[in-house]
Structures are given as C-alpha cells and as structure tokens.
Amino acid sequence: MKLVAVLVAFAALVSGGFQTSAPIRAGEFTSGLQSPVAFVADPTNPAVFYAVEQGGRIRIVRNRVVAEDFLDLRGVTAGGGERGLLGMALAPDFPTSGRFFVNFTNTNGDTVVARFRRMSAGSADPGTRFDLKWGSERSPVIVQPFVNHNGGNLAFGPDGYLYIGMGDGGSGDDPQNNAQTPSTLLGKMLRIDVAVAEGHPNGYVVPADNPFVSSALPGVRPEIWSFGLRNPWRFSFDPVSLGGSGALLIGDVGQGSREEIDYEPPSRGGRNYGWRLREGAQPNPNQLTHTPPAAFQPLIDPVHDYGRSQGASVTGGFVYRGRALGEAFRGRYFFADYVSGRVWSAGLAIGSNGEATAVGLTEHTTELGGAQLGNISAFGIDQSGELYIVSHSRGVVLRLFGELTAPSGLRIVR
C-alpha cells in the first residue's frame, strides 16, 4: 500500500498538481537592516549569519539580533539603483582559511570581485583585501558600460569552484551585444578556481575543464561557463550536502515581457540561454534588426518563464532540502518576484537526459504574509536547508516553516 501511495503522489506531481494539507508560514527572523540583498549562513556556528546590505556593509546577525559589522565597504562602494555591494560567498574551506569573496560596484561604477579573510575575533580583516585580476591584462575591475544589469551574485558550486553571474552591462536590449560576444565577461556565468596561494598574481586560475578553454570561438574568454544572460541577479545550486543533485538554477531578470528561470544539469556548462535574441522562451520583441546571430547554437529554453501579469523582476531562490516544511516540499524550487512581491514553488521533474521540467507551480504569497513580504531581493539557506526570505524594502529576514514547526520566538507574518 505504501508503494501505491508513493506512485499516486508522484503521478499527481508530474501531471502538474501539487497538494498538501499543511500550509507554510513565514516568521520574522531578524530586522533593522538597510536594503539587504543577501543572507549567508556561517558554517561554523548555526546561530550566526551574515546580512549583506546594498550600501556596502555586511552585518553579523547573532542569535537573530543584528550585531556588529563584519565588513564595511561603504567608502569604496557606489550604492543605489542596481549598483552596490551585491553578493558574498564563503570559501569551502572558510572554517579554516577564513576566506570569503564579495562582489561590489566601485565608485567608478565597475564590478570588483574581492577576496578577504576573517580574523580570529570574528570580523573581517580589511587589510586582507585582494581584488581579483582578470585575464592576461590583470584588470582589477570588470568594466560596466552602463549603470544597470551588474548581476552581482557569486556562489561556490559543488565542484569547489567560484561561479559569478555577470549582467549584460546594462541599458536596453544589450546594445553592445555583450551576452553573445565571446570576448567579454558581460552577460555570462563565469567559473574560476580561487583555491590559490595568497601571492597568486590574479587570485584565480581557470579550471582546465571549463567548456571554452579549447573552444574554436574566436577570442572567447576561458573564464566563461555559459552565455546569453541578461541579469542573473540570483542563482543557486541544489545542495549536494543535503541530498540535492548539484544542478544550477538561475533567475535571469527580463526586460519588457518575460522573466525566466534557467536549469542547468550538474556540471553541464557551455550553454547559451539566448539573450538578446530571446527573452524567456520567446523571441525578444525589441531585438534590433541588425542583431548578429547567436554566438553558437542551440539556445536553451528556460525551465520556467512568466509574463508581466505576475511580476517584473525575478528573484532566484533555492531548491528546498530542509525538514521544517514537510516532505511534500523537499525538492521543490522556491523563487519570487521583486516588483510584485509574489512567492512560488515548483517541482522539478528530471528526464532521462538530465534536463528538468517545472511541474506543479504553486503560489505561496498569501500564506506567507502577502504585502508584508515587501520587495524580495534574495533567499537564504542555513546549514539544515531551511529557507529564509530577504525583504529589501522592509529590511527584514523571514524564515519559512511548517504550520506545526514554528521556531520559538518568531513573530508569524500573516
């Protein structure tokens, strides 16, 4: 009988239905932040998180209380709009090395990816700053031609390499065609090995198995992992340590018609997600008549896209691998929209070729608090795989939980 029940449940999921009698809730985990854009768990202490503020500060959140600064980069960061301190990633060996990386827009408007170390006292040591030097020219910045589409997220993959999401450089319709141009890092997902000695001149090396290391594409940058992104504001890996596959899911912000989520099977780079030729799964309605052809084919369809009736700026999230929401939610991908403040989850049905199909799309906005969610800039995940929602406009972080698993002391958002 148990096997029959499992098969029935799976059939309902794959057919697009998703039903659970246990709703999910959100509780206020911490507050008092200024325009937060990321929430990162400390792997050495489950009571400690790092809240990244767009203006240039990283705040320590200890036992749910915003405490001292971990790092203050306000003096070197251009904040506001789509610029600022935009991402943080802890190295896989952070517990021993103290190394971490940040992505910020400097006062000239260009992207800096910098390495720091944590001091034994718990805060970062500003004196350990090292800005990665890009390519043979050893440039300490990735030049941004316009003020928007900086990307900004960075994360370590299950392979131990650092992935960096770069927007197309901004303006409208990618006027420089950066996302399809092999010789620029803009409009791409990058993949580099930062496990190098302190004295390494660039601060990274290119992994030998990067897909374009031996490519025939003229002038292609070997740091590139994938092409054709517009503004991959938030991406994540299905956490292997919690039973996930290691797949990469990218929330790529659209322009005038479609928002998209791209699914990449584990270790399957070298893909082209289609911008500026396409927006979502459709031809870009605003593409210029002289648009050059794609850098290479095929163009990969998103696993899910949606139009302006649902939102206008996708915020990529995580595949849920925790326990607090119940087994029905394990393996579902949570994401949101910054502008509309809506939150959804979708199941991922994996085919024999490793590609995914989004099934059972379900909206959770009302049960999580509706308008009280504000503008959602990011999701976070803790050591146990539990999910957190970062409200940029309200300066709060919410924790998700099942109806019967509310952590003590959290004010439920209704």
Side-chain angles (χ1 to χ4, degrees):
M1 291 298 291
K2 182 181 292 186
L3 177 60
V4 172
V6 170
L7 291 175
V8 169
F10 179 76
L13 175 64
V14 173
S15 68
F18 174 72
Q19 295 181 345
T20 175
S21 58
I24 59 175
R25 298 284 184 257
E28 189 171 291
F29 187 79
T30 195
S31 61
L33 298 167
Q34 299 295 316
S35 301
V37 294
F39 195 61
V40 180
D42 186 325
T44 68
N45 187 339
V48 173
F49 294 80
Y50 303 104
V52 179
E53 296 182 337
Q54 186 178 359
R57 297 169 81 185
I58 300 176
R59 314 289 299 280
I60 295 176
V61 177
R62 185 181 295 110
N63 295 316
R64 296 180 40 218
V65 176
V66 177
E68 69 272 19
D69 284 354
F70 182 68
L71 180 65
D72 188 347
L73 294 174
R74 285 176 291 181
V76 297
T77 299
E82 296 182 19
R83 294 174 166 181
L85 177 56
L86 303 176
M88 175 188 188
L90 307 182
D93 64 351
F94 177 77
T96 55
S97 73
R99 279 187 174 187
F100 67 97
F101 296 79
V102 297
N103 185 326
F104 67 93
T105 313
N106 69 11
T107 53
N108 289 328
D110 298 321
T111 290
V112 175
V113 178
R115 182 185 72 210
F116 289 87
R117 285 202 317 272
R118 179 179 63 172
M119 297 183 293
S120 58
S123 295
D125 180 356
T128 63
R129 174 180 167 180
F130 179 84
D131 298 349
L132 300 191
K133 308 296 192 297
W134 297 97
S136 58
E137 67 274 24
R138 299 192 60 227
S139 171
V141 300
I142 299 174
V143 175
Q144 294 285 353
F146 301 100
V147 299
N148 53 347
H149 305 178
N150 286 190
N153 196 24
L154 66 173
F156 283 90
D159 51 16
Y161 296 138
L162 182 63
Y163 290 70
I164 303 166
M166 293 300 303
D168 66 7
S171 191
D173 289 306
D174 190 8
Q176 298 178 347
N177 197 38
N178 288 319
Q180 294 296 325
T181 298
S183 59
T184 177
L185 300 177
L186 299 174
K188 316 295 194 305
M189 182 66 68
L190 313 182
R191 178 188 188 239
I192 57 176
D193 181 358
V194 293
V196 298
E198 294 285 319
H200 190 282
N202 286 42
Y204 75 93
V205 295
V206 174
D209 62 346
N210 266 17
F212 300 104
V213 166
S214 302
S215 173
L217 282 175
V220 67
R221 298 291 296 262
E223 296 93 343
I224 296 172
W225 179 250
S226 291
F227 276 65
L229 296 169
R230 181 179 179 272
N231 193 26
W233 168 244
R234 289 293 173 254
F235 63 87
S236 66
F237 294 90
D238 186 3
V240 173
S241 62
L242 297 170
S245 69
L248 172 62
L249 290 105
I250 307 167
D252 194 15
V253 179
Q255 181 162 277
S257 63
R258 309 295 293 178
E259 302 298 308
E260 73 179 78
I261 295 165
D262 299 308
Y263 179 92
E264 191 169 283
S267 304
R268 201 175 296 180
R271 293 153 80 95
N272 189 342
Y273 293 107
W275 176 255
R276 69 181 177 178
L277 289 87
R278 297 199 309 188
E279 186 176 353
Q282 301 176 5
N284 175 11
N286 301 318
Q287 75 170 297
L288 308 177
T289 56
H290 61 274
T291 294
F296 59 91
Q297 299 277 359
L299 304 183
I300 304 299
D301 283 337
V303 70
H304 177 68
D305 66 343
Y306 62 89
R308 287 294 173 264
S309 64
Q310 294 177 289
S313 182
V314 65
T315 298
F318 287 88
V319 177
Y320 181 69
R321 296 293 177 186
R323 299 289 181 184
L325 303 187
E327 285 298 315
F329 287 94
R330 284 179 60 82
R332 292 182 65 80
Y333 178 70
F334 280 77
F335 64 100
D337 189 275
Y338 178 88
V339 173
S340 67
R342 298 170 71 175
V343 180
W344 300 269
S345 72
L348 298 169
I350 311 301
S352 59
N353 60 355
E355 301 291 347
T357 301
V359 295
L361 182 72
T362 303
E363 183 168 0
H364 304 288
T365 310
T366 300
E367 62 185 333
L368 294 178
Q372 295 189 67
L373 296 171
N375 300 113
I376 299 168
S377 56
F379 288 76
I381 188 173
D382 65 20
Q383 297 176 34
S384 301
E386 301 306 334
L387 278 173
Y388 300 77
I389 290 177
V390 179
S391 177
H392 186 253
S393 55
R394 294 189 57 221
V396 303
V397 176
L398 307 172
R399 181 179 171 182
L400 273 58
F401 54 88
E403 190 171 34
L404 302 179
T405 59
S408 67
L410 262 66
R411 181 183 70 82
I412 298 177
V413 178
R414 298 187 185 278

